[in-house]
Amino acid sequence: MKNKAIFTTLALGAAYLLRNEKSRNKLMNQFKNMSSKNK
């Protein structure tokens, strides 16, 4: 049951990001910043 809730949350988040370009770009920038700090 818990896995289904997690999957649903991820699916909704992905759908939101696919529709909202500004949020998607902001999130991608955060990932890039995190990955560059880890190197």
Side-chain angles (χ1 to χ4, degrees):
M1 188 69 190
K2 189 176 181 183
N3 287 347
K4 189 175 182 182
I6 293 170
F7 180 76
T8 303
T9 304
L10 288 173
L12 289 172
Y16 174 76
L17 289 174
L18 286 173
R19 288 182 54 178
N20 194 326
E21 189 176 347
K22 282 185 180 179
S23 295
R24 184 171 63 237
N25 290 341
K26 188 176 179 183
L27 193 66
M28 290 305 292
N29 286 336
Q30 288 176 342
F31 277 122
K32 286 178 187 172
N33 289 340
M34 278 193 276
S35 64
S36 64
K37 286 178 184 174
N38 290 338
K39 289 182 180 176

